[in-house]
Amino acid sequence: MIGTKCHVENPPVCTTVDVWLHGLGHVWGYAMTDSTARVLDLAGLGKLIDALTTRGFDVYGPQVRDGVIAHDLLRSVDDLPIGVTDEQSGGSYRLASRNDDARFGYAVGPDSWKSLLHPPRTKVWTMTRSATGALEVEMAETEPAKRAFLGMKPCELAAIHKQDRVLLDAEHPDPSYGANRRDVFFVVVNCGDPAETCFCPSMGTGPGAGPGFDLALTELVDGAAVRYVAEAGSVLGNDVLLTIADSAATEADITAAEAVVTEAEKRITRQLDTNGIKELLYERLDSDYWDVVAERCLTCGNCTLACPTCFCTNLEDITDLTGEHSERWRVWDSCFSLDYSLLGPAPNRSSASSRYRQWLTHKLGTWIDQYDESGCVGCGRCITWCPVGIDLTEEVKALGAQS
């Protein structure tokens, strides 16, 4: 099939190339016309890590750390979570054993890939007083790095594309994000083990991968036997795949991979009705129901920190004790922070109800006005990591029931 491969630059540089589009499960409207899928065993997955490393990529992947699934540098397949799943519900997250050797048998952890592309802390500039008393300012620049993200779930891939809309496609692209995003190789794993808090089908972001990946894997597990049906989504992805996999996927392999995604979607019961959701939220701006939510909301900001698409930041200035050296840092912030809306003598949104309304209305409503799409990918993190288990899908239902 013919498609476009875009390199993240300003402006983006796109060239027409042959693209292999993923055809397993529900894939945002694309279907596979020619079987380009191949099969990797566990050794083949190790070869993938080695092949990417040889090409100069730092390979990041999921690992068990501090009782959660987090992302870190991968040395081998043994670093991946072996036989681990996650049990999630409102305000609750626990790891548990699967009793098999799956490497990707979980939904998502609290740490999204956003933290590598849009880090929690980014230096903006350094100012130093010279021997002559002059102030010398050095602007910080983020050095581009070749990185591969192995094991990202479809909703996380969708989240990165949403961040691209905000931080790259804007009138003034963010240079730090652009440098981090410039040369990233995406290895997405179709989701076969959604959490109770997931609702990606409602948002059109899973459990099967949409376009934008370099390689897509579907994990097939039979006890200790683990294999992967792999497809390429870019020229580079295809080149890598051909160097590590000799076996073409059979029709049975394709059927089994499709079944993984189909069964995963059947297990996702949480839904968010997005039909007319922007208009609903606008109509309910003055609803008393926001006060009902505020009685439970701690305004801690956990939902925004765990969210893979939230992008709000603040600027923080620091100086040494002598006053000779100072730095400015950009740091993550949250619209739940009281001082985030500080305008003049007082915050513009001083109540918990107004801050929750701001977050929900922007995420599901005004984001559509800005970017022609929702700011939510249905990963469920905001539900899981809310200390009191506030569920935005239930809050939208409740707002819709208000007269």
Side-chain angles (χ1 to χ4, degrees), residues 108-300:
V108 292
D111 185 21
S112 75
W113 297 93
K114 175 181 74 174
S115 62
L116 291 172
L117 300 177
H118 183 50
R121 292 181 61 84
T122 302
K123 184 183 287 188
V124 180
W125 51 250
T126 299
M127 182 183 295
T128 305
R129 190 182 302 278
S130 70
T132 63
L135 294 178
E136 299 177 350
V137 178
E138 180 180 357
M139 300 302 297
E141 294 185 6
T142 301
E143 292 293 331
K146 293 184 68 172
R147 289 183 287 195
F149 295 172
L150 190 156
M152 58 194 316
K153 295 304 176 74
C155 62
E156 299 181 301
L157 176 67
I160 289 177
H161 293 321
K162 291 183 186 292
Q163 288 257 293
D164 289 348
R165 296 290 305 277
V166 177
L167 298 173
L168 282 183
D169 299 342
E171 183 178 354
H172 302 286
D174 180 76
S176 176
Y177 182 86
N180 287 326
R181 179 70 172 83
R182 185 180 304 276
D183 203 353
V184 182
F185 188 97
F186 293 136
V187 183
V188 66
V189 176
N190 288 311
C191 186
D193 297 273
E196 190 270 332
T197 50
C198 295
F199 56 99
C200 58
S202 296
M203 312 313 295
T205 58
F213 57 81
D214 291 286
L215 286 177
L217 309 178
T218 305
E219 188 172 51
L220 304 179
V221 184
D222 182 14
V226 182
R227 57 195 176 97
Y228 302 89
V229 177
E231 286 190 90
S234 71
V235 171
L236 178 58
N238 188 63
D239 290 343
V240 171
L241 183 58
L242 291 178
T243 65
I244 62 174
D246 296 326
S247 302
T250 66
E251 185 175 343
D253 293 327
I254 296 293
T255 300
E258 290 176 341
V260 168
V261 177
T262 300
E263 290 304 311
E265 182 163 1
K266 289 178 181 178
R267 291 166 52 192
I268 300 174
T269 57
R270 181 175 265 96
Q271 298 179 348
L272 177 64
D273 185 0
T274 59
N275 186 33
I277 191 170
K278 179 183 74 170
E279 292 74 19
L280 169 65
L281 290 168
Y282 289 174
E283 292 169 0
R284 299 294 189 268
L285 288 177
D286 297 321
S287 172
D288 292 336
Y289 187 73
W290 299 112
D291 293 325
V292 176
V293 182
E295 291 178 357
R296 291 171 287 144
C297 179
L298 305 177
T299 66
C300 64

Side-chain angles (χ1 to χ4, degrees), residues 69 71 88 93 108-115 120 155-156 159 163 197 300-311 332-334 336 359 363 375 377-387:
I69 301 293
H71 307 132
Q88 302 188 43
Y93 176 98
V108 292
D111 185 21
S112 75
W113 297 93
K114 175 181 74 174
S115 62
C155 62
E156 299 181 301
Q163 288 257 293
T197 50
C300 64
N302 264 19
C303 52
T304 59
L305 295 177
C307 177
T309 65
C310 279
F311 56 87
W332 281 1
D333 205 344
S334 170
F336 281 95
W359 176 71
K363 185 68 61 178
V377 295
C379 68
R381 283 184 173 98
C382 60
I383 304 171
T384 296
W385 295 98
C386 173

Side-chain angles (χ1 to χ4, degrees), residues 9 15 27 37 49 59 71 91 107 119 127 139 195 211 263 271 277 283 291 313 351-352 357 366 369:
E9 298 178 5
T15 54
V27 294
I49 296 174
V59 183
H71 307 132
M127 182 183 295
M139 300 302 297
E263 290 304 311
Q271 298 179 348
I277 191 170
E283 292 169 0
D291 293 325
T313 58
S351 67
R357 180 183 63 188
T366 56
D369 285 332

Side-chain angles (χ1 to χ4, degrees), residues 307-324:
C307 177
T309 65
C310 279
F311 56 87
C312 292
T313 58
N314 200 352
L315 292 175
E316 178 183 279
D317 292 334
I318 60 175
T319 185
D320 64 6
L321 293 177
T322 67
E324 301 297 314

